[in-house]
Amino acid sequence: MSDPGDRLSEPLGRVLGTRTAGGLAKLGLETVEDLLRHYPRRYGSPGEMTDIRSLVAGEHVTVMAQVRSAQVRSMRSRGGAMLEAVVTDGQDTLQLTFFAKRAGVLRMHESKLKPGRTGLFTGTVGEYRGRRQLTHPDYLIVGVDAADEDEAMLEASRPIPIYPAVAAVPTWRIGRSVRTVLDPLGEADVPDPIPAEIRGERGLPTLLEALRAVHLPRDDAEWRRGRDRLRFEEALVLQTALARRRAAREELAAVPRPAAGELVAALDERLPFPLTGSQRDVGETISRDLARSAPMLRLLQGDVGAGKTVVALRAMLQVVEAGGQAALLAPTEVLAAQHLRTLEQLLGSLAHGGMLGGDERGTRLALLTGSQGSKARRSALADAASGAAGIVVGTHALLGEGVQFADLGLVVVDEQHRFGVEQRDALRARGDHPPHMLVMTATPIPRTVAMTVFGDLETSLLTDKPAHRAEVTTHVVPADNEAWLARAWARVREEVDQGRRVYVVCPRIDADDEAEEDALASEPPEGELDLAAAAADRPPLASVTQTAALLAERPELAGVRIGSMHGRLTPEAKDAAMSAFASGEVPVLVSTTVIEVGVDVPQATMMLVLDADRFGISQLHQLRGRVGRSDLASLCLLVSRAEDGTVAKERLDALAATTDGFELAEKDVELRREGDVLGSAQSGGRNSLRLLRVVRDAPLIEETRTLARAIVDADPSLSENPALASALETWLGDEREEFLERG
Ligand code: ADP
Ligand code: MG
């Protein structure tokens, strides 16, 4: 006896023959299940013809049209015969041409292409004597395969599935293969990942019914019902994977670090400002998490400048007071060094516990980076290993081999929501007890994306901004408008004369720098296509070295010192550039996106981003967050060559219109293709979301998340839900599960 599901894993070659299977393999379809999961992209309806006028020469198309005429002619001049047919959408016409040695071969086509019949025609649009035509198109005539006229009528009224296809395998050949594969299958052959009870409650069709509905629908309502159920299944499988991951983590015992409160209170007293309401609320939530024995995994989102650092510091102090250590990871060495300075400043004497002049309640800080001198590194390593340092600041190198902690209780990951699964595993493997984790990001993630990508994380949000923040005004400046630019440089001068600082951001380091600097693993700009098109005749992108040289020549900036900053500088040089800028010694800093996140210079009041269309929305929002960090009104100029009507221009206009990070995040999702939101891993291949759309399907994602948690609570190993378990395994696959963590 065969197991249920065996027929689904059968190779297509065995069912359809090697020739057909070979074609389908080009689409990545290997097994019966692969083929059945290759859902139609859309449905043609025999009543709705393709608009022939919109066809573009050179494009590969599938056209729904009605045959007007078809005639075989012999060609006296060349010998052989040709068939000319004309099809129409009711208004315009398209010519179909077939050639053959003998007329007989063409009679077969002629007998199918009867005037009045409707068909789907696939081919590359060509032009001959000013008329558009398809040469040797592949085609399907609706209803010709029917046994009798009634059936033909019925078939002619059915929606026609149109599959994602390639030239070698047209959509109806896929359709025919699907039918061959689907017809003999019974319910027992197609195990259903959705538990029967859930299906019953919601009146959902079985998997087999749903597959029949999407591949062989009798009407539109039927394929919609099938598609909705398959979408529900996708959401449920995805959420079950996330729920299991969460359950597995809760199994691990972390060391509870309950709040004693004294150290945190001592910090609060020292702070030069009152905490905002949401800093306080989120702080309480985290404090409760840390007191539990289940390891915390919390995503803290807060727009740039929302004050995440203080929240993290209060959490770290709770752990320190409870006898543990905390590690703060920054994405770059510049930021690690800055964090150290910030923490030292906030803690004051609390940062010198056990030292002369220090507060005895306090602790000590250590900085560990990959490139520091060996002496500094040795002493930092010793302080981490002995526990003398309660807080260790560094980059991801902190989690590398060779760094020992006496008792690591909390890891805070700053500005890096893409914190990888390897790093988390490395952490888990370090000791018996996994540390609590707090991941902080200023890149706003719409709630539904967070639930899908970070489904196993709990999320918190800093909603209110610290008081006394001035607005940042943003304008889009056309790069070819010399008068505008001159005014911009004059404005830079005014800011500097008032004791303020100005950032000038460029996409490249120097003229030879082909690859853009991407030090912070930020997302690539969206809309690569329109960039490529625009790249052909646009001037080279602004670089740090050229721009710095150019500014030194500008009469408006005579006597103003101009610094440079980019990822290729040594850590010392970066540090020096940052401090000279922060102190005002060098008030203009020309930089790449290394200043994108976290850098905090309150006197910075102006930013120019050159070739701003080269950056994505969230990146620009991050960059802009470097100004407006005090009560001084600030200005951001996005200098760009993007033309009106392009997606790039629309992004910049969105930034000029609002400073609300969440509004921008939604806009970002809207302007990107869905695949880019979740990462390229999900845009194709076997292990992918096919029907689910994270923004549109938010209610479904929430609903299935609750269901999935209940399923996993009741049946952690999924032994009572074997079909769901195997869907998780085969359908998501290792690669995909890893992707879930990585975002
Ligand atoms: P981000 O969330 O972008 O990491 P930071 O933690 O760097 O923001 O905070 C930005 C600035 O706001 C810092 O200078 C910080 O000291 C200040 N800040 C934080 N919390 C408050 C508050 N409650 N009131 C006033 N200023 C605050
Ligand atoms: Mg920060």
Side-chain angles (χ1 to χ4, degrees), residues 260-330:
E262 211 185 311
L263 197 47
V264 175
L267 171 74
D268 289 354
E269 243 164 65
R270 278 193 47 89
L271 290 178
F273 45 74
L275 295 172
T276 65
S278 61
Q279 278 173 326
R280 210 166 268 294
D281 292 347
V282 170
E284 273 165 28
T285 308
I286 293 173
S287 174
R288 275 196 303 271
D289 282 356
L290 293 172
R292 295 178 61 211
S293 61
M296 172 176 82
L297 179 49
R298 183 167 289 279
L299 177 70
L300 172 58
Q301 296 189 65
D303 211 346
V304 285
K308 294 184 289 295
T309 316
V310 171
V311 174
L313 179 56
R314 294 174 84 237
M316 294 194 283
L317 289 181
Q318 175 171 334
V319 170
V320 167
E321 195 171 25
Q325 288 168 289
L328 173 58
L329 309 193

Side-chain angles (χ1 to χ4, degrees), residues 308-309 339 414-415 598:
K308 294 184 289 295
T309 316
H339 270 318
D414 190 27
E415 302 292 5

Side-chain angles (χ1 to χ4, degrees), residues 263-412:
L263 197 47
V264 175
L267 171 74
D268 289 354
E269 243 164 65
R270 278 193 47 89
L271 290 178
F273 45 74
L275 295 172
T276 65
S278 61
Q279 278 173 326
R280 210 166 268 294
D281 292 347
V282 170
E284 273 165 28
T285 308
I286 293 173
S287 174
R288 275 196 303 271
D289 282 356
L290 293 172
R292 295 178 61 211
S293 61
M296 172 176 82
L297 179 49
R298 183 167 289 279
L299 177 70
L300 172 58
Q301 296 189 65
D303 211 346
V304 285
K308 294 184 289 295
T309 316
V310 171
V311 174
L313 179 56
R314 294 174 84 237
M316 294 194 283
L317 289 181
Q318 175 171 334
V319 170
V320 167
E321 195 171 25
Q325 288 168 289
L328 173 58
L329 309 193
T332 66
E333 302 210 336
V334 173
L335 281 175
Q338 181 188 289
H339 270 318
L340 184 82
R341 282 195 295 271
T342 306
L343 298 188
E344 272 172 345
Q345 201 183 6
L346 289 170
L347 287 167
S349 59
L350 291 171
H352 305 288
M355 297 198 293
L356 204 61
D359 189 319
E360 80 229 33
R361 292 168 300 182
T363 183
R364 265 157 63 188
L365 308 186
L367 177 69
L368 252 172
T369 59
S371 58
Q372 68 196 150
S374 61
K375 191 165 155 237
R377 183 173 171 80
R378 262 203 309 278
S379 105
L381 282 171
D383 284 352
S386 70
I391 297 175
V392 184
V393 183
T395 62
H396 289 163
L398 248 193
L399 301 182
E401 312 234 336
V403 183
Q404 295 290 328
F405 289 87
D407 180 11
L408 184 59
L410 169 67
V411 173
V412 180

Side-chain angles (χ1 to χ4, degrees), residues 234-251:
E234 262 178 32
L236 185 69
V237 171
L238 174 63
Q239 292 301 331
T240 305
L242 294 166
R244 283 189 85 189
R245 190 170 283 286
R246 182 168 172 272
R249 202 182 62 243
E250 302 243 306
E251 286 281 291

Side-chain angles (χ1 to χ4, degrees), residues 389-549:
I391 297 175
V392 184
V393 183
T395 62
H396 289 163
L398 248 193
L399 301 182
E401 312 234 336
V403 183
Q404 295 290 328
F405 289 87
D407 180 11
L408 184 59
L410 169 67
V411 173
V412 180
V413 183
D414 190 27
E415 302 292 5
Q416 186 122 2
H417 59 271
R418 282 162 192 258
F419 190 63
V421 68
E422 299 92 351
Q423 282 121 323
R424 284 203 217 167
D425 285 346
L427 267 181
R428 240 175 249 147
R430 292 188 73 100
D432 311 339
H433 299 291
H436 298 283
M437 287 199 51
L438 179 65
V439 180
M440 305 197 292
T441 175
T443 308
I445 304 163
R447 180 172 155 64
T448 47
V449 177
M451 270 193 310
T452 310
V453 181
F454 305 105
D456 63 333
L457 280 79
E458 307 300 327
T459 60
S460 297
L461 195 60
L462 289 179
T463 44
D464 42 7
K465 282 209 173 190
H468 315 303
R469 283 289 154 75
E471 273 300 299
V472 182
T473 312
T474 304
H475 296 291
V476 182
V477 178
D480 48 14
N481 190 328
E482 213 5 79
W484 270 74
L485 281 177
R487 278 216 340 249
W489 301 128
R491 178 67 188 265
V492 172
R493 179 61 191 239
E494 287 164 28
E495 297 293 325
V496 170
D497 285 347
Q498 291 179 63
R500 307 193 179 147
R501 323 266 188 278
V502 178
Y503 293 106
V504 180
V505 181
C506 309
R508 294 192 302 168
I509 298 178
D510 54 38
D512 304 330
D513 176 27
E514 293 225 359
E516 299 199 33
E517 179 161 340
D518 195 11
L520 301 176
S522 47
E523 296 118 51
E526 318 84 64
E528 293 294 346
L529 280 180
D530 58 62
L531 291 174
D537 53 7
R538 70 182 284 164
L541 297 175
S543 72
V544 171
T545 43
Q546 285 174 321
T547 304

Side-chain angles (χ1 to χ4, degrees), residues 82-393:
M82 82 183 277
L83 169 73
E84 264 182 347
V86 174
V87 298
T88 178
D89 59 6
Q91 296 216 304
D92 295 273
T93 60
L94 178 70
Q95 185 158 320
L96 313 179
T97 320
F98 299 82
F99 299 96
K101 283 239 167 57
R102 279 188 302 277
V105 181
L106 298 174
R107 298 279 173 215
M108 180 270 291
H109 290 304
E110 195 184 31
S111 70
K112 281 199 196 169
L113 297 168
K114 291 246 166 69
R117 281 184 172 174
T118 299
L120 278 172
F121 307 89
T122 290
T124 303
V125 181
E127 228 156 3
Y128 182 68
R129 291 188 180 155
R131 295 191 60 188
R132 268 157 316 162
Q133 65 166 8
L134 302 177
T135 306
H136 285 285
D138 232 318
Y139 64 91
L140 173 81
I141 296 296
V142 176
V144 268
D145 295 331
D148 55 41
E149 206 151 301
D150 282 353
E151 198 186 311
M153 286 291 289
L154 177 69
E155 201 173 303
S157 70
R158 287 182 168 191
I160 300 167
I162 298 173
Y163 291 91
V166 291
V169 196
T171 166
W172 50 87
R173 205 163 294 155
I174 298 170
R176 233 173 257 157
S177 303
V178 168
R179 192 180 295 212
T180 307
V181 158
L182 196 52
D183 275 348
L185 294 181
E187 284 292 345
D189 299 317
V190 187
D192 194 334
I194 304 181
E197 198 188 324
I198 294 178
R199 210 171 55 222
E201 278 165 11
R202 283 167 180 71
L204 297 172
T206 65
L207 176 53
L208 180 63
E209 286 163 352
L211 291 171
R212 291 218 168 107
V214 296
H215 291 297
L216 310 165
R218 273 169 299 210
D219 51 40
D220 288 345
E222 186 168 13
W223 66 253
R224 288 209 178 90
R225 215 164 90 87
R227 186 200 53 193
D228 288 350
R229 135 115 225 166
L230 293 170
R231 183 176 290 149
F232 183 93
E233 176 187 316
E234 262 178 32
L236 185 69
V237 171
L238 174 63
Q239 292 301 331
T240 305
L242 294 166
R244 283 189 85 189
R245 190 170 283 286
R246 182 168 172 272
R249 202 182 62 243
E250 302 243 306
E251 286 281 291
L252 300 171
V255 180
R257 314 278 179 175
E262 211 185 311
L263 197 47
V264 175
L267 171 74
D268 289 354
E269 243 164 65
R270 278 193 47 89
L271 290 178
F273 45 74
L275 295 172
T276 65
S278 61
Q279 278 173 326
R280 210 166 268 294
D281 292 347
V282 170
E284 273 165 28
T285 308
I286 293 173
S287 174
R288 275 196 303 271
D289 282 356
L290 293 172
R292 295 178 61 211
S293 61
M296 172 176 82
L297 179 49
R298 183 167 289 279
L299 177 70
L300 172 58
Q301 296 189 65
D303 211 346
V304 285
K308 294 184 289 295
T309 316
V310 171
V311 174
L313 179 56
R314 294 174 84 237
M316 294 194 283
L317 289 181
Q318 175 171 334
V319 170
V320 167
E321 195 171 25
Q325 288 168 289
L328 173 58
L329 309 193
T332 66
E333 302 210 336
V334 173
L335 281 175
Q338 181 188 289
H339 270 318
L340 184 82
R341 282 195 295 271
T342 306
L343 298 188
E344 272 172 345
Q345 201 183 6
L346 289 170
L347 287 167
S349 59
L350 291 171
H352 305 288
M355 297 198 293
L356 204 61
D359 189 319
E360 80 229 33
R361 292 168 300 182
T363 183
R364 265 157 63 188
L365 308 186
L367 177 69
L368 252 172
T369 59
S371 58
Q372 68 196 150
S374 61
K375 191 165 155 237
R377 183 173 171 80
R378 262 203 309 278
S379 105
L381 282 171
D383 284 352
S386 70
I391 297 175
V392 184
V393 183

